[in-house]
């Protein structure tokens, strides 16, 4: 617990469930909503979990702000998942400027030892996001799913790195896929990274694949999450890293030779690819084009995956299926004493903001990432 300028910052407790729910209902305008804050049972479970603490700002016994956090101790990463502040609080800007350094200190303390903290734009108001930039969060790319609630803002990815991480722990002895190079250059300037070599795009030549069987989507959250957990524990999956996300659906064939684990979010019209298990050799491009087709028939307009930046072959497979690089995240995943870079790849079925639709105060880095993404689209990459 820390008190600063009359505000008590502390970890939320069971007694805070209903005050936090009340704050959520008056503070969500212009910020992405979270149904957990409308369900007392789920919120209590989240508050009591060591992996998803809520930090509250309390004044005179009344909760005026809440930070929703997700923590992955194994990979030493955290996500500021939500931030809600009482809209009637006139001095909220000063509070946030004080609270963000305290939050970083809380996450990076020895007990938690988080090395990377990230967030996405849709979880913050524009004013709140600008304060994270002032705090040292770096812009790493765009999330090209859709404009935000006000119809103009761009959804983006930002991260804060503990001082020693990028220069001492980051693995950088690899060459980039040429499609990733333009995004890396922007992230390199944002984060002060070293230059990397650029490889040639892989040329696989003639390869023999089995015929892709008929696939269908099975939406069974508990069954899918349980099976995914078992396979992940046995290390029987590939593409199995996607922070803080559990699959709720699976795309598979009748014989179970192919299993693609996804999280489908109908309300946001988006899905994320979390893992795969393959017992037959099929064309990766054909497979992930079919995954996109199946999800599009579920009214999904945006599909996302992440891939190790050093895995040039994997990135080429996604690119051949129309998934384009949109963000570059250095030092995302822990591997022993080092950390590995990852690329965010997206396939979108809707045109992003452009031209006169761009907000006038769009951060120059976001504009550069957006331009790079549009250039890939213009080259017909998404139609491969």
């Amino acid at each position: 617990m820390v008190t600063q300028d009359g505000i008590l910052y502390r970890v939320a407790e069971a007694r805070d469930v209903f005050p936090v729910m009340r704050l959520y209902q008056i503070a969500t305008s212009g910020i992405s909503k979270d149904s957990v804050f409308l369900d007392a049972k789920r919120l209590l479970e989240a508050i009591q979990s060591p992996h998803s603490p809520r930090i509250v700002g309390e004044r005179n016994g009344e909760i005026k702000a809440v930070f929703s956090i997700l923590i992955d101790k194994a990979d030493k990463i955290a996500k500021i998942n939500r931030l809600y502040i009482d809209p009637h609080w006139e001095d909220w800007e000063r509070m946030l400027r004080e609270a963000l350094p305290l939050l970083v200190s809380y996450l990076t303390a020895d007990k938690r030892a988080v090395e990377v903290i990230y967030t996405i734009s849709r979880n913050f108001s524009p004013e709140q996001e600008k304060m994270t930039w002032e705090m040292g969060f770096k812009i790493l790319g765009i999330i090209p799913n859709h404009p935000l609630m006000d119809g103009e803002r761009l959804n983006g990815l930002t991260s804060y790195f503990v001082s020693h991480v990028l220069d001492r722990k980051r693995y950088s002895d690899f060459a980039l896929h040429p499609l990733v190079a333009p995004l890396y250059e922007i992230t390199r300037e944002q984060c002060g990274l070293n230059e990397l070599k650029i490889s040639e795009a892989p040329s696989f030549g003639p390869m023999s694949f089995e015929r892709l069987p008929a696939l269908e989507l099975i939406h069974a959250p508990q069954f899918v999450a349980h099976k995914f957990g078992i396979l992940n524990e046995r290390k029987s999956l590939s593409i199995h890293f996607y922070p803080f996300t559990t699959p709720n659906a699976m795309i598979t064939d009748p014989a179970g030779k192919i299993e693609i684990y996804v999280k489908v979010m109908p309300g946001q019209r988006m899905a994320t690819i979390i893992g795969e298990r393959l017992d037959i050799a099929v064309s990766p491009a054909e497979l992930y084009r079919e995954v996109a087709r199946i999800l599009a028939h579920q009214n999904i307009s945006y599909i996302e995956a992440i891939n190790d930046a050093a895995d040039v072959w994997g990135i080429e497979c996604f690119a051949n299926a129309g998934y384009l690089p949109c963000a570059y995240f250095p030092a995302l995943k822990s591997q022993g004493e080092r950390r590995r870079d990852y690329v965010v790849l997206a396939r979108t079925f809707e045109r992003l903001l452009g031209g006169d639709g761009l907000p006038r105060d769009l951060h120059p880095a976001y504009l550069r990432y957006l331009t790079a993404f549009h250039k890939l689209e213009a080259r017909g990459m998404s139609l491969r």
Side-chain angles (χ1 to χ4, degrees):
M1 295 193 302
V2 177
T3 300
Q4 190 163 327
D5 292 334
I7 306 297
L8 172 64
Y9 299 98
R10 60 177 177 81
V11 178
E13 303 171 357
R15 61 187 171 93
D16 299 317
V17 167
F18 290 105
V20 167
M21 291 177 69
R22 174 190 170 278
L23 175 63
Y24 168 81
Q25 293 184 56
I26 65 173
T28 55
S29 177
I31 304 174
S32 178
K33 295 176 173 52
D34 186 344
S35 61
V36 170
F37 287 88
L38 296 174
D39 186 322
K41 182 180 179 182
R42 291 172 63 201
L43 181 57
L44 176 61
E45 291 173 352
I47 285 175
Q48 294 179 329
S49 169
H51 306 296
S52 57
R54 267 65 174 168
I55 307 298
V56 297
E58 187 177 56
R59 185 178 67 175
N60 298 328
E62 183 179 2
I63 293 177
K64 308 294 286 186
V66 57
F67 293 84
S68 171
I69 305 165
L70 300 173
I71 299 175
D72 182 334
K73 291 184 178 180
D75 280 301
K76 298 181 181 179
I77 58 176
K79 179 181 180 182
I80 304 178
N81 199 39
R82 296 289 189 275
L83 165 59
Y84 300 118
I85 300 176
D86 187 337
H88 306 301
W89 190 359
E90 294 181 357
D91 209 16
W92 70 267
E93 291 187 20
R94 180 173 63 85
M95 182 282 301
L96 186 55
R97 283 193 171 90
E98 295 172 349
L100 281 172
L102 293 173
L103 183 62
V104 170
S105 296
Y106 167 81
L107 291 171
T108 56
D110 290 343
K111 184 178 180 180
R112 285 159 290 275
V114 166
E115 296 179 334
V116 177
I117 306 168
Y118 75 95
T119 189
I120 56 176
S121 300
R122 67 186 180 89
N123 296 338
F124 289 78
S125 71
E127 295 79 14
Q128 293 168 359
E129 185 182 25
K130 288 176 182 177
M131 289 187 192
T132 65
W133 301 338
E134 295 173 9
M135 175 66 198
F137 280 70
K138 305 300 183 182
I139 297 175
L140 305 181
I142 60 170
I143 308 297
N145 49 351
H146 55 76
L148 297 184
M149 281 63 64
D150 58 14
E152 293 185 345
R153 289 182 61 209
L154 192 67
N155 200 4
L157 172 68
T158 66
S159 183
Y160 177 91
F161 301 92
V162 172
S163 59
H164 64 281
V165 166
L166 293 178
D167 56 349
R168 298 182 194 174
K169 289 200 168 186
R170 174 177 166 258
Y171 173 74
S172 59
D173 186 18
F174 63 94
L176 292 167
H177 191 290
L179 292 178
V180 176
L183 276 78
Y184 179 77
E185 183 60 24
I186 306 169
T187 299
R188 187 179 72 83
E189 293 177 13
Q190 285 286 302
C191 300
L193 306 177
N194 60 303
E195 293 186 6
L196 292 180
K197 296 175 290 186
I198 301 175
S199 72
E200 295 184 1
S203 177
F204 303 124
M207 300 181 71
S208 177
F209 294 114
E210 295 186 43
R211 182 177 179 180
L212 184 68
L215 302 177
E216 59 184 344
L217 178 71
I218 298 174
H219 191 270
Q222 294 185 26
F223 167 76
V224 170
H226 178 72
K227 187 168 187 180
F228 177 83
I230 292 174
L231 292 173
N232 199 23
E233 193 172 297
R234 294 175 180 171
K235 302 187 183 303
S236 300
L237 294 163
S238 56
I239 324 175
H240 61 277
F241 178 67
Y242 200 105
F244 311 116
T245 306
T246 301
N248 60 6
M250 178 172 63
I251 295 174
T252 187
D253 65 299
K257 299 290 187 180
I258 295 173
E259 294 177 349
I260 308 297
Y261 290 85
V262 298
K263 181 167 185 178
V264 179
M265 293 159 273
Q268 301 174 39
R269 298 182 61 205
M270 69 173 289
T272 53
I273 297 171
I274 301 172
E276 70 172 32
R277 185 188 67 79
L278 304 178
D279 286 343
I280 56 174
V282 297
S283 164
E286 185 182 4
L287 171 61
Y288 280 99
R289 280 195 293 264
E290 180 64 7
V291 167
R293 187 193 68 80
I294 289 171
L295 291 171
H297 284 184
Q298 300 294 317
N299 200 32
I300 297 300
S301 63
Y302 171 79
I303 309 167
E304 184 176 281
I306 65 173
N307 203 88
D308 191 307
D311 179 14
V312 175
W313 188 89
I315 291 171
E316 177 70 7
C317 290
F318 271 118
N320 282 329
Y323 297 75
L324 309 180
C326 62
Y328 192 97
F329 202 138
L332 173 59
K333 191 179 191 313
S334 178
Q335 185 181 59
E337 295 299 317
R338 308 297 294 275
R339 302 193 67 90
R340 300 189 67 88
D341 294 4
Y342 271 72
V343 178
V344 181
L345 300 128
R347 176 152 184 170
T348 180
F349 300 100
E350 294 182 355
R351 178 71 173 177
L352 276 177
L353 296 168
D356 295 337
L358 289 172
R360 283 173 289 184
D361 61 347
L362 183 65
H363 192 288
Y366 279 144
L367 181 59
R368 291 180 65 192
Y369 284 114
L370 179 62
T371 300
F373 185 78
H374 279 329
K375 283 182 177 179
L376 290 177
E377 286 188 315
R379 288 167 54 187
M381 296 300 300
S382 62
L383 300 178
R384 283 189 176 189

